[in-house]
Amino acid sequence: MIEFDLTDEQKLIRETARDFTDREIVPVARENDRNERFDLDLVRKLGEMGYLGPIVDEEYGGRGLDYRTYGLIVEEIGRGDSSARTVVSVQTSLVCSSIERWGSEEQKHHWLPRLCTGEILGCFGLTEPNTGSDAANLSTRAERNDGGWRITGQKQWISMGNYAKVALIFAQTDPEQQHRGLAAFLVPTDSDGFSSSEIHGKLGLRASDTAELSIDGVEVGDDALLGDVGDGFKVAMSALDSGRFSVASGCVGICQGCVDASVAYAKERQQFGRPIASFQLVQQMLADMIVDTEAARALVWRAGWLKDTGQPNTTETSIAKLFATEAAVRSANNAIQVHGGSGYVDDHPVERYLRDARVTTLYEGTSQIQKLIIGRAATGVNAMA
Ligand code: COS
């Protein structure tokens, strides 16, 4: 049975994350967005709070929290600013959780403590210019050389790629083996042949760093291999099981932020001699947002509970990710409608919510990919084969 009651500890952690968000994130979100500023000072504070690897075991510098509690933190940060939330999601779910699950003891002790404190950042190099949804079909190559590997390829849309000290790079070792030939490597970004460039002009997530990576004959030792040769696709998919949960949690935060801003505005804004909250059509938009928020949160909590109790959860995570991301886009759009002209400029957070929510139905698997995963689970038929 799913338990919806939060423990006292979870309530405290949520309150702390809420206060942190209101004190440290909300006041700087607009300026960071306007200036496309990746806020390293905020990253440092996120690390100090233990938000950059909270699900990692304490032995490796994390907080050993469960997924439900992690989701509460991510929701609060997502309410404040999705760019900050992206740092938490990528660092925790895509990078740290992959190293913790697939790494050797040496790799875990080498990388995790510094990642969890935010002393260094990591990035997740799966997507390529010609490989998005069809992740198994990537063209970055890893070839054996004396005592190690030589990696060559391009990666695209990589969050934190210009700041990361370690990049989790997925590469093909044997194209004939298709997804079973993939391998994951922990590549120090100061390696010879590794370079990155910034991507600008994004609709949203403007305070998030986004990079194109060029990996030109980068040489790494066998000790850079995460898991075995051939495990790469599973490393990527298990990372996305965690990453999609994190994105979904952040989108619950966007939904909640839309409700909070819109209810406050509707009670204050007067038209026709009364608050617009008194109009039925405005209440309808508020009700739609509230239902979306509550439903998204329930799906996210269910996915977290399945993870915490060790049950299969890939489909349920896709359901949560699909619903929460689409709900965030709908809610932000509704929130702008409630705010009228005021919602179209950045005095209120709602236009940023819409711009930031929009990418969440694209990255970590598009809504269409989530539907195909759900459809395959229901029918047993793989529409992607
Ligand atoms: N955890 C661990 N292993 C998994 C897994 C998971 N969640 N999901 C699948 N696998 C394993 C399977 O068990 C299978 O193993 P075997 O080779 O031993 O049979 C293997 O991976 C292949 O699984 P599957 O048949 O599901 O792979 P598909 O090629 O059908 O996967 C989708 C297709 C679309 C699901 C996958 O490519 C995908 O998620 N694409 C979207 C990529 C994405 O999100 N990109 C964004 C990157 S971050 S911005």
Side-chain angles (χ1 to χ4, degrees), residues 36-112:
E36 295 194 21
R37 175 167 179 260
F38 184 65
D39 189 341
L40 285 171
D41 194 39
L42 182 54
V43 171
R44 182 182 54 74
K45 290 173 184 166
L46 290 167
E48 281 171 8
M49 293 299 291
Y51 294 159
L52 298 180
I55 48 177
V56 172
D57 198 285
E58 285 166 312
E59 184 188 348
Y60 307 113
R63 293 174 62 182
L65 298 181
D66 62 14
Y67 265 88
R68 280 166 293 181
T69 314
Y70 170 47
L72 298 174
I73 295 171
V74 177
E75 177 184 331
E76 290 303 328
I77 295 171
R79 177 178 60 79
D81 180 16
S82 293
S83 292
R85 196 274 306 153
T86 297
V87 177
V88 175
S89 296
V90 170
Q91 183 93 338
T92 304
S93 284
L94 299 184
V95 180
C96 288
S97 82
S98 299
I99 296 173
E100 186 171 32
R101 169 152 181 203
W102 296 91
S104 64
E105 278 307 310
E106 206 179 342
Q107 287 170 326
K108 291 193 247 188
H109 283 291
H110 183 70
W111 293 112
L112 288 174

Side-chain angles (χ1 to χ4, degrees), residues 94 101-102 124 126-127 132-136 157 179-180 233-234 237-238 240-241 244 314 362-366 369-370 373 376 382 384:
L94 299 184
R101 169 152 181 203
W102 296 91
F124 185 77
L126 178 66
T127 301
S133 294
D134 188 7
W157 313 125
H179 76 266
R180 295 198 175 107
F233 193 70
K234 290 182 186 180
M237 290 300 118
S238 62
L240 288 168
D241 278 344
R244 288 168 184 166
T314 297
L362 308 176
Y363 69 11
E364 306 214 17
T366 60
I369 287 295
Q370 310 310 329
I373 291 170
R376 177 171 63 181
N382 184 0
M384 296 164 278

